[in-house]
Every structure is written in structure tokens, then in C-alpha cells.
Amino acid sequence: MPRPTDPAAASDPAEARGTAADASADDTAESTPTVRPRLGRDVVVLGVIAFFVMVGFGVVVPVLPVYAQSFGVDHVLVGAVLSAFALMRLVASPFVGRLLDLAGERVVLSVGIGIVALSSALAGLATDYPQLLLMRGLGGIGSAMFTISAMTLLLASTPPTRRARAVGFYQGGFLVGGMAGPAIGGVLSTISLTAPFFFYAATLAVAGLIGVVLLKPVPRGGAAEKAEPPTPLRDVLADVRFRAACVANFAQGWSSLGVRSALVPVLVVEVLRGPTAWTGVLFAVAAVAQTVALAPASRFVDTVGRRPAVIGSFAVAAVSLAAVPFASHVVVLGALLAVYGVATAFMGTAPAALVGDAAGARGGRPVAIFSMCSDVGAIAGPLVAGLLVDVASFPVAFGVAALLLAAASLAAVRIPREPRPALA
């Protein structure tokens, strides 16, 4: 006989009490907030991959100029080795989106990492400058394949309510790896100038193996893709959210990867008359500030909204960067760079989340365009900033970068106000 559902209808008082207790427990369960879901496995795997990639990259970067000079070339050709990587990333990016459509994110990511690993090992075996330059360019192609496929997979595997937190975790892997890499590179460089290149190849091999084994293949076609078909590229390009994200990524590439990295070391030596070691300390302070701020920034972007995060963070970054050349002491400069570091925690997560919102789960080509905006800024920023320092001054160079950041903040004003999402 079925158990009565109404306590009053139960013939046995004890049974009635038990049924009432069950009903009360059900009510309590319904009123208790659900446990917040954790980030998916693919997000965690991508964060681990990012760590291994950036550890190796951080090992190579400090010794690369010295290694290039060992071939007896001048400073211009040393700079060309550094630029070749970014330039080939930019050239390859438009083709990566189509590769993702053909082969899928997991395959392109693994092949891209393999290309960078092979080019790194061959760079360590280079016998002349042209070989080194060629291998760095090849590495840039692989880097474009890895970064675009990883971000596309990250956005595709995460719902909008946790998208910024997924990006934040992924960027956290890069930041932690980037802080550990230079220290390891300093030790390896005492052994040999080529040792860091082989170490980089090894960490990339580990990252690629993790990707092949642990990343889940993204199904192509079938019910999943029919349920969420790719958003047409023309619709994505017309979306104000995507356009604002691209402006923001260009401004960030110009200011963070270009102006700050290129001019702060010179500012420390020429204006503050400090030792070059101060630069490493200042950048470490900024990196720690950014790392600490990533989790709360990511949650803010997911719960409060992308629009206020972009408007506020880029405005704060503009003010702090414009003030950098006026710092009278290294402590003041460190404080300004720390504020800028906190702002970049928001600047790195909110625009990427906007791309995911605009492009949906199959956004390979939009992600490639978004990535190219940062690359263009990173390539043009140091060149224009250096020219502005030569013909004008440090405040003018930093001021132009600040204006671009302010323009990104203003561009985000046009983003429609989002309904406040439920906590997830």
C-alpha cells in the first residue's frame, strides 16, 4: 500500500510524525541554497597547461636577448628576434579560426604546443642567427594556435555565469608560471645559454601531453551543435560587446605588453637613477597584486557584470599609468604599478567574458580577432612609445597609453546594462 503523503491522513501517529518530518526536511532542502558548482575539468586542465607553458616561457625570455647577441648581431637584430614571435602570432591568427572549425580545439591546441616545443629545442641547437630568427617565428605560429584554441575551448566549456572565473583561473596559471619561470631561468643560464630552451621544450611537452590525455574532445556536429549553432561572424562583429572587448584588448596590449614592459625599466634607470634590479622587484609586486586580485575580480565580473568591470578597471588603469612617469620614488612607482596590477585582473577577465557572451560556444574566429587586437597593440606600443620618448618625453608616451585605456573605458559605456546574474 502506498505511503500517505499527507501527515493528517496517516492512520499511524508515528507514521504521521515520520511523514511530517520528511516533508519538513524536503522544505528545508528546498530553502537551502544549492552548493555552487566548481569549475569544470577542462578549465582546471587548461589552467595547469597554462602554468607549464608560462614557466618555460619565463625561463627563456630573460636569456633570449643575450643568446641572440652571442651570434655577434647588433641591438636591432636582437630586437627582431623578440618581435618575430609576436609578428608571426599576428600573421597566423586569422588562419587559426578556420583550423578550429576543421580540426577542433583539442587537436589545434596540442599541435600548437608541439610546434612551440620543437621550435624551442631547435632554437637551442641553432648554429647561426638566421636559424634562431626562423625558429622564433615558427614558435609564434604555434603560440597563436595554442592561445586561440585554449581560449575558445575555455569559453565554450563554461556557462556565462562562471565564464570570468574560468578565465581568471586560466590566467592565474599564466601568472604563477610567469613568476616562477625567470627564477628557474636564472639558475639554468649559469649552466648554459641554451639550457633554458631545452627546459622550455620539456615543459611544453608536459603541457601538450596533459592536453592530449585530459582534455575532453569537443563534439562537432550532431545534437550539441544543432542546439547551439555557431553565431555568424558578421553578427559577432556587429555586437557592441565584441567591439568593446576588441578595443579593450588593443588598449591593454599597447599599455601592458608594450608601454609598461618597454618603458618602466628605462624609467627606473634614467629617471629614478636606480639599479636595474629594481625593475624585477617592481614587476614582481605588480604580478603579486594581479594574482591576489584575480579571484575577487573574476567573481565581480560574473556577478555584478562585465560592463562596470570594464568601465572601472580601464579608468583606474588609465589614471595609474598616466601617473607613472611622475613618480618621485621607487616606492611610489611600486604603489602605482600595484594599483595597475589590480586593474589588470579585471582587464584580463571582463573583455574575454564579453567575447564569450557575444560569440557563443563556437567562437574560434572571433577569439582569433580578439587575440589579434592585443598582438597589434603589443607590437605597435613599444615602437610608438619609444619614438614619443625620443621626440617628446616619458609623460607623453605614458599619456598616450592612458588615453587608449580611457577610450576603452568609454567604449564600454555603450554595452547594454546586463540583468544582474544569479550567483553561481
Side-chain angles (χ1 to χ4, degrees), residues 97-401:
R98 294 191 179 276
L99 280 178
L100 294 178
D101 294 336
L102 294 173
E105 291 86 352
R106 181 171 173 265
V107 172
V108 175
L109 182 146
S110 300
V111 172
I113 290 178
I115 290 174
V116 183
L118 178 63
S119 67
S120 176
L122 292 176
L125 296 172
T127 57
D128 55 34
Y129 175 81
Q131 290 181 10
L132 174 62
L133 185 65
L134 178 63
M135 290 305 104
R136 287 297 293 170
L138 182 63
I141 296 174
S143 175
M145 294 172 65
F146 159 67
T147 53
I148 294 172
S149 57
M151 182 58 69
T152 303
L153 182 59
L154 189 74
L155 297 176
S157 61
T158 312
T161 53
R162 296 198 302 278
R163 193 163 277 154
R165 275 167 281 185
V167 174
F169 182 85
Y170 175 67
Q171 290 183 343
F174 274 113
L175 283 170
V176 175
M179 286 187 284
I184 300 173
V187 175
L188 290 175
S189 64
T190 62
I191 301 172
S192 167
L193 281 179
T194 59
F197 293 90
F198 301 120
F199 181 87
Y200 188 20
T203 60
L204 288 167
V206 172
L209 183 63
I210 291 173
V212 170
V213 174
L214 296 182
L215 286 177
K216 294 180 291 186
V218 178
R220 296 276 158 178
E225 189 148 326
K226 289 178 182 177
E228 188 177 357
T231 304
L233 182 60
R234 64 179 178 274
D235 293 345
V236 177
L237 295 176
D239 194 316
V240 66
R241 296 173 298 180
F242 180 75
R243 295 202 300 267
C246 287
V247 172
N249 217 30
F250 171 76
Q252 187 181 11
W254 182 293
S255 60
S256 297
L257 303 177
V259 174
R260 186 191 64 163
S261 299
L263 293 188
V264 167
V266 182
L267 187 75
V268 167
V269 175
E270 293 187 3
V271 177
L272 296 181
R273 304 296 179 184
T276 55
W278 282 7
T279 301
V281 174
L282 291 171
F283 282 170
V285 168
V288 170
Q290 182 180 356
T291 304
V292 171
L294 262 179
S298 302
R299 183 160 183 79
F300 180 96
V301 173
D302 276 339
T303 56
V304 178
R306 311 350 181 176
R307 182 178 182 271
V310 174
I311 293 173
S313 62
F314 277 82
V316 170
V319 173
S320 59
L321 197 65
V324 162
F326 299 101
S328 58
H329 192 275
V330 67
V331 174
V332 178
L333 180 58
L336 290 172
L337 291 177
V339 172
Y340 186 86
V342 172
T344 54
F346 293 83
M347 292 158 61
T349 52
L354 283 171
V355 173
D357 296 342
R362 294 286 180 255
R365 278 182 280 181
V367 170
I369 295 171
F370 176 71
S371 176
M372 289 171 64
C373 292
S374 176
D375 288 337
V376 171
I379 293 170
L383 299 176
V384 177
L387 178 63
L388 289 173
V389 170
D390 288 339
V391 302
S393 64
F394 279 103
V396 172
F398 279 94
V400 170

